[in-house]
């Protein structure tokens, strides 16, 4: 039985299954991507600690937020959400950098 001949509920269930599989795959990509990102930010934190540099760089953070807002608009993602997400990541990175300096 093809999707076109299925009843509406079965067709919706099949579509839902496909969307959920894509969501699960994308969640995996996000987690692994964040893991890779934090490996680099941990290295940055160690370098900053070794060279007595401040844990945060407001100029870079501002530029990164603007960059991410532009990317969000291009990706048809709410720029406010993207900004909040990046701010969360930045705060976590700064927390890690401060730990390296202790």
């Amino acid at each position: 039985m093809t999707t076109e001949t299925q009843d509406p509920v079965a067709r919706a269930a099949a579509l839902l299954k496909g969307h959920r599989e894509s969501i699960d795959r994308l969640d995996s990509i996000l987690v692994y991507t964040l893991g890779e990102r934090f490996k680099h930010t941990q290295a940055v934190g160690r370098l900053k600690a070794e060279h007595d540099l401040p844990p945060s760089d407001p100029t870079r953070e501002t530029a990164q937020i603007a960059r991410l807002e532009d990317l969000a608009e291009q990706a048809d993602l709410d720029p406010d959400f993207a900004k909040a997400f990046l701010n969360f990541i930045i705060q976590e990175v700064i927390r890690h950098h401060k730990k390296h300096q202790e």
Side-chain angles (χ1 to χ4, degrees):
M1 184 179 288
T2 65
T3 305
E4 294 80 29
T5 60
Q6 291 177 340
D7 68 84
V9 173
R11 188 168 51 250
L15 291 170
L16 183 62
K17 181 178 184 285
H19 286 300
R20 287 181 172 163
E21 288 170 353
S22 292
I23 289 167
D24 291 350
R25 180 180 48 79
L26 291 165
D27 285 345
S28 296
I29 291 168
L30 284 171
V31 168
Y32 279 97
T33 300
L34 284 171
E36 184 69 18
R37 187 186 196 286
F38 277 103
K39 286 177 191 173
H40 289 285
T41 61
Q42 291 285 355
V44 167
R46 286 189 295 274
L47 281 169
K48 285 182 173 186
E50 288 170 15
H51 298 283
D52 200 27
L53 297 169
S56 69
D57 182 346
T59 302
R60 173 155 169 79
E61 292 160 20
T62 299
Q64 284 295 93
I65 289 169
R67 181 179 158 272
L68 191 72
E69 286 176 317
D70 287 342
L71 287 172
E73 287 182 18
Q74 293 172 30
D76 198 25
L77 178 67
D78 179 1
D80 289 333
F81 170 78
K83 183 177 178 178
F85 182 70
L86 185 60
N87 276 321
F88 172 77
I89 291 173
I90 288 170
Q91 293 310 308
E92 186 67 11
V93 168
I94 290 169
R95 188 180 69 79
H96 290 173
H97 289 185
K98 287 179 178 176
K99 281 177 65 176
H100 285 294
Q101 293 184 340
E102 293 174 353

mmCIF file of all heavy atoms in Angstrom, residues 11-61:
data_model
loop_
_atom_site.group_PDB
_atom_site.id
_atom_site.type_symbol
_atom_site.label_atom_id
_atom_site.label_comp_id
_atom_site.label_asym_id
_atom_site.label_seq_id
_atom_site.Cartn_x
_atom_site.Cartn_y
_atom_site.Cartn_z
ATOM 1 N N ARG A 11 -1.045 7.810 7.060
ATOM 2 C CA ARG A 11 -0.165 8.681 6.272
ATOM 3 C C ARG A 11 0.520 9.694 7.204
ATOM 4 O O ARG A 11 1.719 9.923 7.114
ATOM 5 C CB ARG A 11 -0.954 9.384 5.172
ATOM 6 C CG ARG A 11 -0.074 10.154 4.194
ATOM 7 C CD ARG A 11 -0.797 10.614 2.936
ATOM 8 N NE ARG A 11 -2.039 11.326 3.192
ATOM 9 C CZ ARG A 11 -3.265 10.854 2.938
ATOM 10 N NH1 ARG A 11 -3.425 9.662 2.409
ATOM 11 N NH2 ARG A 11 -4.339 11.580 3.194
ATOM 12 N N ALA A 12 -0.256 10.272 8.115
ATOM 13 C CA ALA A 12 0.318 11.225 9.076
ATOM 14 C C ALA A 12 1.354 10.540 9.966
ATOM 15 O O ALA A 12 2.403 11.107 10.244
ATOM 16 C CB ALA A 12 -0.788 11.850 9.919
ATOM 17 N N ALA A 13 1.066 9.315 10.388
ATOM 18 C CA ALA A 13 2.012 8.572 11.226
ATOM 19 C C ALA A 13 3.317 8.308 10.480
ATOM 20 O O ALA A 13 4.408 8.410 11.060
ATOM 21 C CB ALA A 13 1.385 7.262 11.702
ATOM 22 N N ALA A 14 3.217 7.982 9.204
ATOM 23 C CA ALA A 14 4.416 7.734 8.404
ATOM 24 C C ALA A 14 5.227 9.023 8.243
ATOM 25 O O ALA A 14 6.463 9.011 8.352
ATOM 26 C CB ALA A 14 4.041 7.171 7.038
ATOM 27 N N LEU A 15 4.545 10.133 8.003
ATOM 28 C CA LEU A 15 5.240 11.420 7.886
ATOM 29 C C LEU A 15 5.880 11.815 9.214
ATOM 30 O O LEU A 15 7.013 12.295 9.249
ATOM 31 C CB LEU A 15 4.265 12.505 7.414
ATOM 32 C CG LEU A 15 3.771 12.377 5.979
ATOM 33 C CD1 LEU A 15 2.624 13.362 5.717
ATOM 34 C CD2 LEU A 15 4.905 12.591 5.003
ATOM 35 N N LEU A 16 5.161 11.610 10.292
ATOM 36 C CA LEU A 16 5.675 11.913 11.626
ATOM 37 C C LEU A 16 6.931 11.101 11.919
ATOM 38 O O LEU A 16 7.924 11.635 12.430
ATOM 39 C CB LEU A 16 4.595 11.628 12.670
ATOM 40 C CG LEU A 16 4.920 11.952 14.115
ATOM 41 C CD1 LEU A 16 5.190 13.438 14.289
ATOM 42 C CD2 LEU A 16 3.769 11.503 15.016
ATOM 43 N N LYS A 17 6.910 9.829 11.555
ATOM 44 C CA LYS A 17 8.077 8.961 11.759
ATOM 45 C C LYS A 17 9.287 9.505 11.009
ATOM 46 O O LYS A 17 10.393 9.580 11.549
ATOM 47 C CB LYS A 17 7.753 7.537 11.305
ATOM 48 C CG LYS A 17 8.882 6.555 11.505
ATOM 49 C CD LYS A 17 8.453 5.157 11.059
ATOM 50 C CE LYS A 17 9.500 4.116 11.324
ATOM 51 N NZ LYS A 17 10.636 4.135 10.427
ATOM 52 N N GLY A 18 9.079 9.923 9.785
ATOM 53 C CA GLY A 18 10.174 10.477 8.988
ATOM 54 C C GLY A 18 10.733 11.758 9.594
ATOM 55 O O GLY A 18 11.953 11.946 9.662
ATOM 56 N N HIS A 19 9.845 12.630 10.041
ATOM 57 C CA HIS A 19 10.299 13.876 10.681
ATOM 58 C C HIS A 19 11.087 13.569 11.962
ATOM 59 O O HIS A 19 12.127 14.173 12.219
ATOM 60 C CB HIS A 19 9.110 14.783 11.014
ATOM 61 C CG HIS A 19 8.511 15.444 9.817
ATOM 62 N ND1 HIS A 19 9.214 16.288 8.984
ATOM 63 C CD2 HIS A 19 7.251 15.378 9.310
ATOM 64 C CE1 HIS A 19 8.428 16.721 8.027
ATOM 65 N NE2 HIS A 19 7.230 16.180 8.190
ATOM 66 N N ARG A 20 10.577 12.636 12.753
ATOM 67 C CA ARG A 20 11.263 12.299 14.006
ATOM 68 C C ARG A 20 12.628 11.677 13.754
ATOM 69 O O ARG A 20 13.579 11.943 14.492
ATOM 70 C CB ARG A 20 10.388 11.379 14.846
ATOM 71 C CG ARG A 20 9.222 12.146 15.457
ATOM 72 C CD ARG A 20 8.366 11.267 16.311
ATOM 73 N NE ARG A 20 7.381 12.065 17.029
ATOM 74 C CZ ARG A 20 6.294 11.564 17.595
ATOM 75 N NH1 ARG A 20 6.049 10.273 17.527
ATOM 76 N NH2 ARG A 20 5.460 12.354 18.227
ATOM 77 N N GLU A 21 12.750 10.871 12.721
ATOM 78 C CA GLU A 21 14.064 10.303 12.381
ATOM 79 C C GLU A 21 15.037 11.414 12.004
ATOM 80 O O GLU A 21 16.207 11.388 12.396
ATOM 81 C CB GLU A 21 13.923 9.285 11.248
ATOM 82 C CG GLU A 21 13.265 7.995 11.691
ATOM 83 C CD GLU A 21 12.908 7.076 10.536
ATOM 84 O OE1 GLU A 21 13.047 7.474 9.349
ATOM 85 O OE2 GLU A 21 12.461 5.944 10.823
ATOM 86 N N SER A 22 14.561 12.386 11.238
ATOM 87 C CA SER A 22 15.413 13.523 10.874
ATOM 88 C C SER A 22 15.792 14.338 12.105
ATOM 89 O O SER A 22 16.952 14.751 12.263
ATOM 90 C CB SER A 22 14.705 14.429 9.859
ATOM 91 O OG SER A 22 14.566 13.767 8.631
ATOM 92 N N ILE A 23 14.839 14.573 12.997
ATOM 93 C CA ILE A 23 15.122 15.318 14.220
ATOM 94 C C ILE A 23 16.169 14.589 15.053
ATOM 95 O O ILE A 23 17.121 15.213 15.560
ATOM 96 C CB ILE A 23 13.816 15.551 15.026
ATOM 97 C CG1 ILE A 23 12.933 16.567 14.292
ATOM 98 C CG2 ILE A 23 14.119 16.006 16.453
ATOM 99 C CD1 ILE A 23 11.500 16.632 14.812
ATOM 100 N N ASP A 24 16.034 13.283 15.202
ATOM 101 C CA ASP A 24 17.003 12.509 15.984
ATOM 102 C C ASP A 24 18.405 12.590 15.370
ATOM 103 O O ASP A 24 19.399 12.736 16.073
ATOM 104 C CB ASP A 24 16.570 11.046 16.089
ATOM 105 C CG ASP A 24 15.327 10.866 16.948
ATOM 106 O OD1 ASP A 24 14.910 11.833 17.625
ATOM 107 O OD2 ASP A 24 14.755 9.747 16.920
ATOM 108 N N ARG A 25 18.466 12.492 14.048
ATOM 109 C CA ARG A 25 19.758 12.588 13.354
ATOM 110 C C ARG A 25 20.366 13.970 13.565
ATOM 111 O O ARG A 25 21.554 14.117 13.875
ATOM 112 C CB ARG A 25 19.569 12.301 11.858
ATOM 113 C CG ARG A 25 20.851 12.383 11.030
ATOM 114 C CD ARG A 25 20.579 12.080 9.552
ATOM 115 N NE ARG A 25 19.447 12.795 8.982
ATOM 116 C CZ ARG A 25 19.470 14.071 8.587
ATOM 117 N NH1 ARG A 25 20.571 14.780 8.690
ATOM 118 N NH2 ARG A 25 18.396 14.652 8.069
ATOM 119 N N LEU A 26 19.557 15.011 13.441
ATOM 120 C CA LEU A 26 20.051 16.381 13.624
ATOM 121 C C LEU A 26 20.467 16.642 15.070
ATOM 122 O O LEU A 26 21.461 17.335 15.320
ATOM 123 C CB LEU A 26 18.994 17.384 13.166
ATOM 124 C CG LEU A 26 18.758 17.379 11.659
ATOM 125 C CD1 LEU A 26 17.472 18.109 11.318
ATOM 126 C CD2 LEU A 26 19.937 17.964 10.925
ATOM 127 N N ASP A 27 19.736 16.079 16.035
ATOM 128 C CA ASP A 27 20.153 16.200 17.433
ATOM 129 C C ASP A 27 21.533 15.587 17.642
ATOM 130 O O ASP A 27 22.372 16.151 18.354
ATOM 131 C CB ASP A 27 19.145 15.529 18.367
ATOM 132 C CG ASP A 27 17.869 16.337 18.549
ATOM 133 O OD1 ASP A 27 17.846 17.543 18.186
ATOM 134 O OD2 ASP A 27 16.879 15.764 19.057
ATOM 135 N N SER A 28 21.783 14.452 17.023
ATOM 136 C CA SER A 28 23.105 13.821 17.127
ATOM 137 C C SER A 28 24.178 14.730 16.534
ATOM 138 O O SER A 28 25.254 14.900 17.121
ATOM 139 C CB SER A 28 23.118 12.474 16.396
ATOM 140 O OG SER A 28 22.241 11.569 17.014
ATOM 141 N N ILE A 29 23.886 15.307 15.388
ATOM 142 C CA ILE A 29 24.840 16.225 14.748
ATOM 143 C C ILE A 29 25.112 17.414 15.663
ATOM 144 O O ILE A 29 26.266 17.824 15.844
ATOM 145 C CB ILE A 29 24.318 16.679 13.373
ATOM 146 C CG1 ILE A 29 24.332 15.508 12.385
ATOM 147 C CG2 ILE A 29 25.131 17.860 12.839
ATOM 148 C CD1 ILE A 29 23.563 15.771 11.091
ATOM 149 N N LEU A 30 24.060 17.975 16.271
ATOM 150 C CA LEU A 30 24.243 19.109 17.180
ATOM 151 C C LEU A 30 25.124 18.751 18.369
ATOM 152 O O LEU A 30 26.031 19.509 18.733
ATOM 153 C CB LEU A 30 22.878 19.606 17.682
ATOM 154 C CG LEU A 30 22.042 20.426 16.720
ATOM 155 C CD1 LEU A 30 20.642 20.633 17.286
ATOM 156 C CD2 LEU A 30 22.698 21.763 16.438
ATOM 157 N N VAL A 31 24.875 17.600 18.977
ATOM 158 C CA VAL A 31 25.655 17.200 20.150
ATOM 159 C C VAL A 31 27.119 16.993 19.780
ATOM 160 O O VAL A 31 28.018 17.493 20.465
ATOM 161 C CB VAL A 31 25.049 15.936 20.801
ATOM 162 C CG1 VAL A 31 25.996 15.341 21.836
ATOM 163 C CG2 VAL A 31 23.706 16.275 21.441
ATOM 164 N N TYR A 32 27.384 16.287 18.697
ATOM 165 C CA TYR A 32 28.773 16.069 18.288
ATOM 166 C C TYR A 32 29.449 17.378 17.870
ATOM 167 O O TYR A 32 30.629 17.595 18.141
ATOM 168 C CB TYR A 32 28.863 15.028 17.165
ATOM 169 C CG TYR A 32 28.791 13.622 17.703
ATOM 170 C CD1 TYR A 32 27.588 12.920 17.716
ATOM 171 C CD2 TYR A 32 29.923 12.998 18.215
ATOM 172 C CE1 TYR A 32 27.513 11.641 18.227
ATOM 173 C CE2 TYR A 32 29.856 11.710 18.726
ATOM 174 C CZ TYR A 32 28.650 11.028 18.735
ATOM 175 O OH TYR A 32 28.586 9.763 19.252
ATOM 176 N N THR A 33 28.699 18.266 17.224
ATOM 177 C CA THR A 33 29.243 19.561 16.825
ATOM 178 C C THR A 33 29.576 20.403 18.054
ATOM 179 O O THR A 33 30.647 21.026 18.125
ATOM 180 C CB THR A 33 28.256 20.305 15.899
ATOM 181 O OG1 THR A 33 28.028 19.504 14.746
ATOM 182 C CG2 THR A 33 28.794 21.663 15.490
ATOM 183 N N LEU A 34 28.687 20.416 19.034
ATOM 184 C CA LEU A 34 28.976 21.146 20.272
ATOM 185 C C LEU A 34 30.177 20.538 20.990
ATOM 186 O O LEU A 34 31.006 21.265 21.543
ATOM 187 C CB LEU A 34 27.752 21.151 21.193
ATOM 188 C CG LEU A 34 26.640 22.106 20.791
ATOM 189 C CD1 LEU A 34 25.401 21.863 21.659
ATOM 190 C CD2 LEU A 34 27.089 23.550 20.913
ATOM 191 N N GLY A 35 30.288 19.227 20.982
ATOM 192 C CA GLY A 35 31.450 18.575 21.586
ATOM 193 C C GLY A 35 32.742 19.031 20.928
ATOM 194 O O GLY A 35 33.722 19.353 21.609
ATOM 195 N N GLU A 36 32.751 19.080 19.623
ATOM 196 C CA GLU A 36 33.933 19.542 18.882
ATOM 197 C C GLU A 36 34.211 21.014 19.176
ATOM 198 O O GLU A 36 35.361 21.416 19.368
ATOM 199 C CB GLU A 36 33.713 19.322 17.380
ATOM 200 C CG GLU A 36 34.902 19.665 16.511
ATOM 201 C CD GLU A 36 36.086 18.733 16.677
ATOM 202 O OE1 GLU A 36 35.913 17.608 17.202
ATOM 203 O OE2 GLU A 36 37.201 19.134 16.291
ATOM 204 N N ARG A 37 33.174 21.808 19.226
ATOM 205 C CA ARG A 37 33.337 23.244 19.509
ATOM 206 C C ARG A 37 33.964 23.435 20.885
ATOM 207 O O ARG A 37 34.878 24.233 21.066
ATOM 208 C CB ARG A 37 31.972 23.938 19.440
ATOM 209 C CG ARG A 37 32.076 25.457 19.543
ATOM 210 C CD ARG A 37 30.698 26.093 19.615
ATOM 211 N NE ARG A 37 30.710 27.512 19.341
ATOM 212 C CZ ARG A 37 31.156 28.428 20.192
ATOM 213 N NH1 ARG A 37 31.640 28.069 21.358
ATOM 214 N NH2 ARG A 37 31.138 29.709 19.851
ATOM 215 N N PHE A 38 33.470 22.694 21.886
ATOM 216 C CA PHE A 38 33.991 22.853 23.237
ATOM 217 C C PHE A 38 35.419 22.331 23.370
ATOM 218 O O PHE A 38 36.181 22.827 24.200
ATOM 219 C CB PHE A 38 33.055 22.229 24.269
ATOM 220 C CG PHE A 38 31.925 23.148 24.645
ATOM 221 C CD1 PHE A 38 30.655 22.956 24.134
ATOM 222 C CD2 PHE A 38 32.141 24.231 25.486
ATOM 223 C CE1 PHE A 38 29.619 23.819 24.462
ATOM 224 C CE2 PHE A 38 31.108 25.105 25.826
ATOM 225 C CZ PHE A 38 29.846 24.893 25.310
ATOM 226 N N LYS A 39 35.821 21.373 22.554
ATOM 227 C CA LYS A 39 37.232 20.957 22.554
ATOM 228 C C LYS A 39 38.115 22.143 22.185
ATOM 229 O O LYS A 39 39.155 22.374 22.786
ATOM 230 C CB LYS A 39 37.468 19.800 21.577
ATOM 231 C CG LYS A 39 36.940 18.486 22.049
ATOM 232 C CD LYS A 39 37.152 17.411 20.991
ATOM 233 C CE LYS A 39 36.378 16.157 21.346
ATOM 234 N NZ LYS A 39 36.419 15.157 20.276
ATOM 235 N N HIS A 40 37.684 22.904 21.196
ATOM 236 C CA HIS A 40 38.463 24.068 20.768
ATOM 237 C C HIS A 40 38.414 25.188 21.803
ATOM 238 O O HIS A 40 39.426 25.833 22.074
ATOM 239 C CB HIS A 40 37.982 24.572 19.401
ATOM 240 C CG HIS A 40 38.338 23.658 18.287
ATOM 241 N ND1 HIS A 40 39.619 23.563 17.774
ATOM 242 C CD2 HIS A 40 37.587 22.771 17.592
ATOM 243 C CE1 HIS A 40 39.635 22.661 16.814
ATOM 244 N NE2 HIS A 40 38.424 22.172 16.687
ATOM 245 N N THR A 41 37.226 25.424 22.382
ATOM 246 C CA THR A 41 37.152 26.491 23.373
ATOM 247 C C THR A 41 37.916 26.121 24.644
ATOM 248 O O THR A 41 38.465 27.001 25.315
ATOM 249 C CB THR A 41 35.693 26.876 23.710
ATOM 250 O OG1 THR A 41 35.001 25.755 24.245
ATOM 251 C CG2 THR A 41 34.982 27.415 22.483
ATOM 252 N N GLN A 42 38.007 24.840 24.963
ATOM 253 C CA GLN A 42 38.830 24.412 26.103
ATOM 254 C C GLN A 42 40.304 24.710 25.814
ATOM 255 O O GLN A 42 41.032 25.190 26.688
ATOM 256 C CB GLN A 42 38.644 22.913 26.384
ATOM 257 C CG GLN A 42 37.283 22.548 26.921
ATOM 258 C CD GLN A 42 37.095 22.922 28.381
ATOM 259 O OE1 GLN A 42 38.005 23.378 29.057
ATOM 260 N NE2 GLN A 42 35.884 22.746 28.866
ATOM 261 N N ALA A 43 40.735 24.454 24.586
ATOM 262 C CA ALA A 43 42.122 24.762 24.207
ATOM 263 C C ALA A 43 42.370 26.267 24.296
ATOM 264 O O ALA A 43 43.429 26.706 24.763
ATOM 265 C CB ALA A 43 42.415 24.245 22.797
ATOM 266 N N VAL A 44 41.394 27.063 23.866
ATOM 267 C CA VAL A 44 41.510 28.519 23.965
ATOM 268 C C VAL A 44 41.619 28.921 25.434
ATOM 269 O O VAL A 44 42.436 29.768 25.808
ATOM 270 C CB VAL A 44 40.309 29.220 23.279
ATOM 271 C CG1 VAL A 44 40.249 30.692 23.648
ATOM 272 C CG2 VAL A 44 40.377 29.041 21.769
ATOM 273 N N GLY A 45 40.807 28.311 26.286
ATOM 274 C CA GLY A 45 40.849 28.615 27.714
ATOM 275 C C GLY A 45 42.199 28.314 28.332
ATOM 276 O O GLY A 45 42.716 29.089 29.150
ATOM 277 N N ARG A 46 42.801 27.185 27.944
ATOM 278 C CA ARG A 46 44.138 26.846 28.455
ATOM 279 C C ARG A 46 45.172 27.861 27.977
ATOM 280 O O ARG A 46 46.028 28.302 28.742
ATOM 281 C CB ARG A 46 44.518 25.424 28.037
ATOM 282 C CG ARG A 46 43.764 24.356 28.817
ATOM 283 C CD ARG A 46 44.288 22.949 28.558
ATOM 284 N NE ARG A 46 44.085 22.524 27.181
ATOM 285 C CZ ARG A 46 42.976 21.968 26.721
ATOM 286 N NH1 ARG A 46 41.943 21.775 27.512
ATOM 287 N NH2 ARG A 46 42.873 21.594 25.465
ATOM 288 N N LEU A 47 45.084 28.254 26.705
ATOM 289 C CA LEU A 47 46.016 29.265 26.172
ATOM 290 C C LEU A 47 45.862 30.599 26.900
ATOM 291 O O LEU A 47 46.852 31.242 27.255
ATOM 292 C CB LEU A 47 45.781 29.477 24.676
ATOM 293 C CG LEU A 47 46.374 28.442 23.738
ATOM 294 C CD1 LEU A 47 45.845 28.639 22.326
ATOM 295 C CD2 LEU A 47 47.892 28.546 23.746
ATOM 296 N N LYS A 48 44.620 30.999 27.128
ATOM 297 C CA LYS A 48 44.388 32.256 27.833
ATOM 298 C C LYS A 48 44.948 32.193 29.249
ATOM 299 O O LYS A 48 45.550 33.158 29.726
ATOM 300 C CB LYS A 48 42.888 32.576 27.873
ATOM 301 C CG LYS A 48 42.333 33.066 26.548
ATOM 302 C CD LYS A 48 40.849 33.404 26.681
ATOM 303 C CE LYS A 48 40.313 34.060 25.433
ATOM 304 N NZ LYS A 48 38.920 34.521 25.615
ATOM 305 N N ALA A 49 44.752 31.064 29.916
ATOM 306 C CA ALA A 49 45.269 30.910 31.278
ATOM 307 C C ALA A 49 46.800 30.941 31.287
ATOM 308 O O ALA A 49 47.409 31.595 32.141
ATOM 309 C CB ALA A 49 44.755 29.619 31.897
ATOM 310 N N GLU A 50 47.418 30.258 30.343
ATOM 311 C CA GLU A 50 48.888 30.217 30.265
ATOM 312 C C GLU A 50 49.479 31.595 30.016
ATOM 313 O O GLU A 50 50.586 31.893 30.454
ATOM 314 C CB GLU A 50 49.327 29.272 29.142
ATOM 315 C CG GLU A 50 49.113 27.808 29.429
ATOM 316 C CD GLU A 50 49.337 26.928 28.204
ATOM 317 O OE1 GLU A 50 49.936 27.406 27.202
ATOM 318 O OE2 GLU A 50 48.903 25.767 28.246
ATOM 319 N N HIS A 51 48.758 32.437 29.294
ATOM 320 C CA HIS A 51 49.280 33.747 28.915
ATOM 321 C C HIS A 51 48.595 34.892 29.666
ATOM 322 O O HIS A 51 48.728 36.052 29.279
ATOM 323 C CB HIS A 51 49.154 33.938 27.394
ATOM 324 C CG HIS A 51 49.954 32.924 26.637
ATOM 325 N ND1 HIS A 51 51.315 33.006 26.498
ATOM 326 C CD2 HIS A 51 49.585 31.775 26.013
ATOM 327 C CE1 HIS A 51 51.754 31.968 25.811
ATOM 328 N NE2 HIS A 51 50.719 31.202 25.502
ATOM 329 N N ASP A 52 47.886 34.530 30.735
ATOM 330 C CA ASP A 52 47.239 35.508 31.610
ATOM 331 C C ASP A 52 46.337 36.475 30.842
ATOM 332 O O ASP A 52 46.363 37.683 31.058
ATOM 333 C CB ASP A 52 48.291 36.274 32.424
ATOM 334 C CG ASP A 52 47.700 36.924 33.658
ATOM 335 O OD1 ASP A 52 46.690 36.406 34.175
ATOM 336 O OD2 ASP A 52 48.235 37.965 34.084
ATOM 337 N N LEU A 53 45.560 35.918 29.925
ATOM 338 C CA LEU A 53 44.593 36.712 29.160
ATOM 339 C C LEU A 53 43.224 36.599 29.828
ATOM 340 O O LEU A 53 42.932 35.599 30.485
ATOM 341 C CB LEU A 53 44.515 36.200 27.720
ATOM 342 C CG LEU A 53 45.811 36.330 26.909
ATOM 343 C CD1 LEU A 53 45.701 35.549 25.612
ATOM 344 C CD2 LEU A 53 46.115 37.792 26.657
ATOM 345 N N PRO A 54 42.370 37.595 29.680
ATOM 346 C CA PRO A 54 41.047 37.546 30.320
ATOM 347 C C PRO A 54 40.197 36.405 29.751
ATOM 348 O O PRO A 54 40.320 36.061 28.566
ATOM 349 C CB PRO A 54 40.436 38.909 30.008
ATOM 350 C CG PRO A 54 41.214 39.455 28.880
ATOM 351 C CD PRO A 54 42.575 38.838 28.918
ATOM 352 N N PRO A 55 39.330 35.833 30.592
ATOM 353 C CA PRO A 55 38.520 34.702 30.129
ATOM 354 C C PRO A 55 37.476 35.083 29.086
ATOM 355 O O PRO A 55 37.032 34.229 28.322
ATOM 356 C CB PRO A 55 37.851 34.183 31.403
ATOM 357 C CG PRO A 55 37.959 35.276 32.386
ATOM 358 C CD PRO A 55 39.134 36.121 31.998
ATOM 359 N N SER A 56 37.076 36.349 29.038
ATOM 360 C CA SER A 56 36.095 36.739 28.023
ATOM 361 C C SER A 56 36.688 37.808 27.121
ATOM 362 O O SER A 56 37.630 38.503 27.480
ATOM 363 C CB SER A 56 34.810 37.254 28.674
ATOM 364 O OG SER A 56 35.031 38.485 29.300
ATOM 365 N N ASP A 57 36.126 37.885 25.918
ATOM 366 C CA ASP A 57 36.552 38.857 24.917
ATOM 367 C C ASP A 57 35.286 39.510 24.368
ATOM 368 O O ASP A 57 34.713 39.041 23.377
ATOM 369 C CB ASP A 57 37.335 38.148 23.807
ATOM 370 C CG ASP A 57 37.860 39.079 22.741
ATOM 371 O OD1 ASP A 57 37.414 40.250 22.677
ATOM 372 O OD2 ASP A 57 38.705 38.641 21.944
ATOM 373 N N PRO A 58 34.815 40.577 25.049
ATOM 374 C CA PRO A 58 33.539 41.189 24.651
ATOM 375 C C PRO A 58 33.469 41.606 23.185
ATOM 376 O O PRO A 58 32.407 41.483 22.559
ATOM 377 C CB PRO A 58 33.424 42.402 25.579
ATOM 378 C CG PRO A 58 34.261 42.054 26.764
ATOM 379 C CD PRO A 58 35.391 41.220 26.221
ATOM 380 N N THR A 59 34.577 42.066 22.617
ATOM 381 C CA THR A 59 34.569 42.473 21.207
ATOM 382 C C THR A 59 34.266 41.277 20.310
ATOM 383 O O THR A 59 33.427 41.351 19.402
ATOM 384 C CB THR A 59 35.915 43.128 20.824
ATOM 385 O OG1 THR A 59 36.132 44.243 21.680
ATOM 386 C CG2 THR A 59 35.923 43.568 19.377
ATOM 387 N N ARG A 60 34.939 40.152 20.561
ATOM 388 C CA ARG A 60 34.693 38.940 19.770
ATOM 389 C C ARG A 60 33.286 38.425 20.006
ATOM 390 O O ARG A 60 32.606 38.004 19.060
ATOM 391 C CB ARG A 60 35.715 37.859 20.104
ATOM 392 C CG ARG A 60 35.377 36.527 19.431
ATOM 393 C CD ARG A 60 36.561 35.652 19.215
ATOM 394 N NE ARG A 60 36.185 34.303 18.817
ATOM 395 C CZ ARG A 60 35.811 33.935 17.605
ATOM 396 N NH1 ARG A 60 35.750 34.829 16.632
ATOM 397 N NH2 ARG A 60 35.497 32.686 17.337
ATOM 398 N N GLU A 61 32.836 38.456 21.246
ATOM 399 C CA GLU A 61 31.496 37.960 21.552
ATOM 400 C C GLU A 61 30.438 38.757 20.795
ATOM 401 O O GLU A 61 29.508 38.180 20.224
ATOM 402 C CB GLU A 61 31.249 38.014 23.056
ATOM 403 C CG GLU A 61 32.122 37.025 23.820
ATOM 404 C CD GLU A 61 32.255 37.372 25.298
ATOM 405 O OE1 GLU A 61 31.406 38.121 25.830
ATOM 406 O OE2 GLU A 61 33.216 36.886 25.915
#
